[in-house]
């Protein structure tokens, strides 16, 4: 079998009797090349089976037009939405995006950082693992002035651009909402405190309790990966014996939905006996019965801001990395799971008070 020979722009130029520079410009949609010539060149390229060598082009101009994106799990609603927005926005500016997932493994995250650097990407955006506390494996990007942006799960002390949700306000808002709905014994199921998201949400939870003079109880907070399995284990402890809590603040909607299903099996009424609030505003929260109150983190806005930050940094080649923080707003979306129960006696009291 004869060895296949890769066709180059030289072959296309020879077939069409054009200069190599004209063929190159036509393939790159240069405005000075006529539409007719572009069509001829692309037609011949397809006929010859020409494939552009992006790596070789990158070596020549020191640009790969490729940006790396590392997320914990692409299967989750929030990072999946952000990834789609980032990819679409960067594509509009002629960039390709390599999307990688760390599976919340620090070891995989370190390996991905090394691989993406070797791939000669032009910039990198990262949402770190739950357990990343040392970010030195990203130093190679900073040291070589390759734009680096962290989003959602971000480092606390690392000189880079950061785009994050207002997680402290989110934790505070959820807790105060439950208190205002009459809850006095609120469980918080948090993620691990090694992750920036959860340290801030926990701080918001504690400060809201403090403001409303409700004692904080260590037995009413859980630190764990926010999976269905872990949520069920937490439920076994929470509902092992009365008194049961009257409110639950779950740090993601998977946990909130799991608690809702557990309460149903336990014959606890939601929201009459216990109120539940989740986080992230996953589409499932709206369609389950009763629908679950949740916090919208506006992933589309975060994705747009990450893409914008990357593009701005790419326009400043060689500029040193500096810390800057950009907050994306949050909004509590109130639904049935935290609605106040109708009470005739309370209505009567209000009327008398008037």
């Amino acid at each position: 079998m004869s060895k296949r020979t890769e066709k180059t722009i030289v072959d296309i130029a020879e077939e069409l009797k054009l200069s190599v520079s004209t063929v190159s410009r036509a393939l790159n949609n240069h405005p000075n090349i006529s539409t007719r010539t572009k069509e001829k060149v692309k037609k011949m390229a397809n006929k010859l089976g020409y494939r552009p060598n992006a790596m070789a082009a990158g070596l020549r101009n020191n640009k790969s037009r490729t940006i790396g994106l590392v997320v914990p799990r692409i299967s989750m609603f929030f990072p999946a939405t952000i990834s789609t927005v980032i990819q679409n926005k960067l594509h509009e500016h002629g960039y390709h995006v390599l999307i990688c997932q760390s599976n919340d493994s620090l070891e995989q995250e370190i390996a991905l950082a090394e691989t993406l650097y070797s791939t000669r990407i032009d910039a990198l955006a990262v949402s770190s693992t739950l357990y990343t506390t040392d970010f030195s494996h990203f130093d190679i990007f900073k040291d070589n002035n390759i734009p680096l942006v962290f989003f959602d799960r971000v480092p606390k002390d690392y000189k880079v651009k950061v785009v994050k949700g207002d997680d402290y306000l989110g934790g505070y808002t959820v807790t105060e909402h439950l208190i205002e709905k009459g809850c006095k014994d609120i469980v918080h199921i948090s993620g691990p405190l090694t992750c920036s998201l959860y340290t801030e949400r926990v701080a918001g939870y504690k400060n809201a309790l403090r403001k409303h003079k409700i004692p904080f109880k260590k037995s009413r907070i859980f630190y764990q990966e926010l999976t269905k399995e872990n949520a069920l284990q937490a439920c076994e402890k929470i509902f092992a014996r009365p008194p049961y809590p009257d409110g639950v603040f779950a740090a993601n909607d998977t946990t909130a939905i799991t608690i809702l299903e557990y309460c149903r099996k336990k014959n606890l009424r939601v929201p009459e006996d216990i109120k539940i609030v989740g986080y992230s505003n996953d589409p499932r929260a709206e369609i389950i019965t009763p629908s679950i109150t949740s916090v919208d983190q506006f992933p589309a806005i975060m994705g747009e801001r990450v893409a914008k930050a990357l593009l701005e940094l790419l326009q400043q080649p060689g500029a040193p990395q500096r810390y800057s923080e950009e907050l994306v707003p949050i909004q509590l979306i109130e639904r049935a799971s935290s609605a106040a129960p109708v009470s005739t006696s309370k209505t009567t009291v209000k009327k008398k008070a008037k």
Side-chain angles (χ1 to χ4, degrees), residues 2-15:
S2 61
K3 186 177 180 181
R4 184 178 181 275
T5 305
E6 291 286 347
K7 298 297 182 180
T8 68
I9 59 173
V10 175
D11 298 308
I12 301 171
E14 287 177 353
E15 289 287 340

Side-chain angles (χ1 to χ4, degrees), residues 25-75:
R25 290 177 180 179
L27 289 171
N28 287 287
N29 289 314
H30 195 284
N32 291 344
I33 304 299
S34 70
T35 301
R36 183 169 175 272
T37 300
K38 288 177 185 177
E39 289 174 353
K40 281 173 57 179
V41 169
K42 290 177 182 178
K43 185 177 179 180
M44 181 57 68
N46 290 333
K47 181 180 177 181
L48 296 177
Y50 166 75
R51 293 189 302 170
N53 190 331
M55 185 172 289
L59 288 169
R60 285 194 299 272
N61 58 27
N62 207 28
K63 294 291 179 184
S64 66
R65 305 297 294 180
T66 302
I67 292 175
L69 176 61
V70 179
V71 296
R73 297 183 193 277
I74 200 68
S75 59

Side-chain angles (χ1 to χ4, degrees), residues 236-288:
E236 293 293 339
K237 295 176 183 177
I238 294 166
F239 300 105
R241 64 183 64 86
Y244 300 145
D246 52 14
V248 177
F249 166 22
N252 76 353
D253 288 328
T254 295
T255 299
I257 291 168
T258 304
I259 294 167
L260 175 63
E261 292 172 344
Y262 188 94
C263 288
R264 188 179 288 131
K265 292 175 182 176
K266 194 86 172 172
N267 294 320
L268 290 169
R269 300 170 301 164
V270 178
E272 292 85 358
D273 299 324
I274 186 168
K275 303 184 193 302
I276 301 171
V277 178
Y279 212 102
S280 195
N281 202 28
D282 188 304
R284 295 174 298 165
E286 187 174 11
I287 62 175
I288 198 168

Side-chain angles (χ1 to χ4, degrees), residues 186-190 198 201-202 205 220-222 248-251:
I186 302 169
V187 164
H188 178 32
I189 300 183
S190 167
Y198 305 115
R201 290 178 198 173
V202 167
Y205 162 75
R220 287 313 202 196
I221 192 164
F222 295 79
V248 177
F249 166 22

Side-chain angles (χ1 to χ4, degrees), residues 44-103:
M44 181 57 68
N46 290 333
K47 181 180 177 181
L48 296 177
Y50 166 75
R51 293 189 302 170
N53 190 331
M55 185 172 289
L59 288 169
R60 285 194 299 272
N61 58 27
N62 207 28
K63 294 291 179 184
S64 66
R65 305 297 294 180
T66 302
I67 292 175
L69 176 61
V70 179
V71 296
R73 297 183 193 277
I74 200 68
S75 59
M76 297 189 297
F77 161 70
F78 189 68
T81 303
I82 291 176
S83 299
T84 300
V85 173
I86 291 173
Q87 182 176 30
N88 291 343
K89 289 292 179 184
L90 292 175
H91 182 72
E92 291 174 6
H93 293 267
Y95 287 94
H96 302 290
V97 179
L98 289 178
I99 302 176
C100 308
Q101 59 177 357
S102 65
N103 291 315

Side-chain angles (χ1 to χ4, degrees), residues 41-299:
V41 169
K42 290 177 182 178
K43 185 177 179 180
M44 181 57 68
N46 290 333
K47 181 180 177 181
L48 296 177
Y50 166 75
R51 293 189 302 170
N53 190 331
M55 185 172 289
L59 288 169
R60 285 194 299 272
N61 58 27
N62 207 28
K63 294 291 179 184
S64 66
R65 305 297 294 180
T66 302
I67 292 175
L69 176 61
V70 179
V71 296
R73 297 183 193 277
I74 200 68
S75 59
M76 297 189 297
F77 161 70
F78 189 68
T81 303
I82 291 176
S83 299
T84 300
V85 173
I86 291 173
Q87 182 176 30
N88 291 343
K89 289 292 179 184
L90 292 175
H91 182 72
E92 291 174 6
H93 293 267
Y95 287 94
H96 302 290
V97 179
L98 289 178
I99 302 176
C100 308
Q101 59 177 357
S102 65
N103 291 315
D104 265 325
S105 161
L106 177 56
E107 183 181 350
Q108 284 194 43
E109 183 180 87
I110 293 170
L112 286 171
E114 293 173 353
T115 300
L116 288 169
Y117 178 77
S118 300
T119 309
R120 301 179 66 88
I121 57 173
D122 292 341
L124 177 64
V126 181
S127 180
S128 66
T129 78
L130 287 171
Y131 305 105
T132 306
T133 55
D134 179 358
F135 290 82
S136 59
H137 46 289
F138 295 107
D139 286 352
I140 194 168
F141 294 92
K142 289 173 56 182
D143 294 344
N144 288 279
N145 295 321
I146 298 170
L148 178 60
V149 175
F150 281 89
F151 64 95
D152 190 38
R153 300 179 182 181
V154 302
K156 297 173 184 176
D157 301 299
Y158 198 66
K159 291 185 178 180
V160 290
K161 173 73 175 182
V162 164
V163 181
K164 53 182 280 192
D166 196 341
D167 289 291
Y168 171 82
L169 180 61
Y172 188 95
T173 300
V174 170
T175 310
E176 187 164 67
H177 168 76
L178 287 167
I179 293 169
E180 289 172 349
K181 293 296 182 179
C183 298
K184 298 184 184 302
D185 185 7
I186 302 169
V187 164
H188 178 32
I189 300 183
S190 167
L193 292 185
T194 47
C195 182
S196 61
L197 299 180
Y198 305 115
T199 55
E200 295 189 16
R201 290 178 198 173
V202 167
Y205 162 75
K206 288 181 177 179
N207 283 345
L209 293 178
R210 187 178 299 113
K211 177 191 172 185
H212 292 273
K213 296 180 171 56
I214 296 176
F216 165 71
K217 301 175 184 176
K218 289 183 179 180
S219 61
R220 287 313 202 196
I221 192 164
F222 295 79
Y223 304 103
Q224 58 192 42
E225 288 192 28
L226 298 170
T227 64
K228 180 178 180 179
E229 294 72 24
N230 286 345
L232 286 171
Q233 289 178 21
C235 284
E236 293 293 339
K237 295 176 183 177
I238 294 166
F239 300 105
R241 64 183 64 86
Y244 300 145
D246 52 14
V248 177
F249 166 22
N252 76 353
D253 288 328
T254 295
T255 299
I257 291 168
T258 304
I259 294 167
L260 175 63
E261 292 172 344
Y262 188 94
C263 288
R264 188 179 288 131
K265 292 175 182 176
K266 194 86 172 172
N267 294 320
L268 290 169
R269 300 170 301 164
V270 178
E272 292 85 358
D273 299 324
I274 186 168
K275 303 184 193 302
I276 301 171
V277 178
Y279 212 102
S280 195
N281 202 28
D282 188 304
R284 295 174 298 165
E286 187 174 11
I287 62 175
I288 198 168
T289 303
S291 57
I292 295 178
T293 297
S294 190
V295 173
D296 195 340
Q297 298 175 274
F298 300 104

